[in-house]
Amino acid sequence: MSGVDAALEHWLGDGRGGLRKGRLALFLAGAYGLFAATYLPINAFSVGRAAHTLFLPGEERLPFLPIFEYLYVLTYFLPVFLIVTIHDYAAVRRLVVAFCLTLLAAYTTYLVFPVYFERPHLDVSSLHTWLLSLEYRDKPYNHFPSLHVALSWLAVFASQVSRRSRAALGAVAVGISVSTVFVKQHYIVDVLYGFVVAWGAWQIARLISMRRA
């Protein structure tokens, strides 16, 4: 793995301690493709299996608010965001390790503890309801943890920005996390577990990166 790590660092590096942003974009696009290629088969595998529902007391009474889709879709712009806010290979390495650990934890949970969410009827009559209808093409499994939440927080953790900017990014991640509940894509416990997985993966990735260094 050290050879692969060195080769990737050489490929992404610009020779001055920074990153070639174009190559970083290609790398992140590949990571997104890997995510899609692994997530979708696991989701399809869960269809028809005995699954759990995870409503907390009173949670079923929370309103369905499709307007929150505008926050929900922000997660899909994370690769572009990371290209702008990551500036050295050490941050890329830690993010890659945390990303892999996050997927490992999530996929293991999906397979061992499948969760189902019955989605409400959606009347497609606006841009945000149309966008949400695209989410409905994904089977209503793979909820616990929420990867929408986990990947959003990983982006916040990995960003090399000022403290004030990080606080603003954290507020956006909170908004994305809240949106997953109001567009009825996730349970509250999915959100909490998603944050815990991301935080834990980021801390473990720091220890691994320190050892490699």
Side-chain angles (χ1 to χ4, degrees):
M1 288 300 293
S2 59
V4 174
D5 185 38
L8 182 60
E9 181 175 9
H10 177 74
W11 185 71
L12 288 175
D14 62 4
R16 302 184 300 275
L19 297 170
R20 299 178 187 270
K21 295 296 186 176
R23 293 184 179 183
L24 178 60
L26 290 175
F27 179 73
L28 292 174
Y32 189 85
L34 174 64
F35 162 64
T38 51
Y39 174 91
L40 294 175
I42 293 175
N43 195 15
F45 175 74
S46 295
V47 175
R49 297 174 64 202
H52 305 271
T53 56
L54 302 177
F55 284 116
L56 296 178
E59 184 178 344
E60 290 180 271
R61 295 195 294 272
L62 290 176
F64 175 43
L65 302 174
I67 193 69
F68 273 82
E69 175 67 11
Y70 291 123
L71 279 173
Y72 189 79
V73 298
L74 292 180
T75 304
Y76 300 116
F77 296 94
L78 291 180
V80 177
F81 170 75
L82 289 170
I83 293 168
V84 175
T85 59
I86 292 183
H87 306 300
D88 59 62
Y89 182 72
V92 174
R93 179 197 291 119
R94 186 175 177 183
L95 177 61
V96 169
V97 173
F99 175 74
C100 292
L101 290 173
T102 296
L103 293 189
L104 178 63
Y107 291 170
T108 300
T109 308
Y110 296 156
L111 292 171
V112 174
F113 188 77
V115 171
Y116 176 79
F117 197 117
E118 184 69 37
R119 294 167 176 160
H121 172 73
L122 180 64
D123 179 21
V124 180
S125 57
S126 61
L127 175 59
H128 55 272
T129 53
W130 176 77
L131 289 172
L132 186 54
S133 72
L134 300 180
E135 309 287 352
Y136 273 36
R137 296 184 180 183
D138 184 30
K139 304 298 182 183
Y141 295 87
N142 287 11
H143 294 291
F144 181 73
S146 167
L147 282 176
H148 240 76
V149 171
L151 297 181
S152 296
W153 280 105
L154 278 186
V156 174
F157 298 151
S159 297
Q160 296 175 296
V161 294
S162 68
R163 182 175 298 180
R164 179 175 296 181
S165 296
R166 190 177 303 281
L169 296 176
V172 173
V174 169
I176 292 173
S177 301
V178 171
S179 76
T180 66
V181 174
F182 285 109
V183 298
K184 300 300 181 180
Q185 290 291 96
H186 284 286
Y187 300 98
I188 292 175
V189 292
D190 300 341
V191 173
L192 300 177
Y193 186 29
F195 176 81
V196 169
V197 167
W199 184 85
W202 188 245
Q203 300 309 313
I204 295 172
R206 179 178 68 86
L207 298 177
I208 293 174
S209 296
M210 289 174 60
R211 287 185 177 184
R212 299 188 71 85

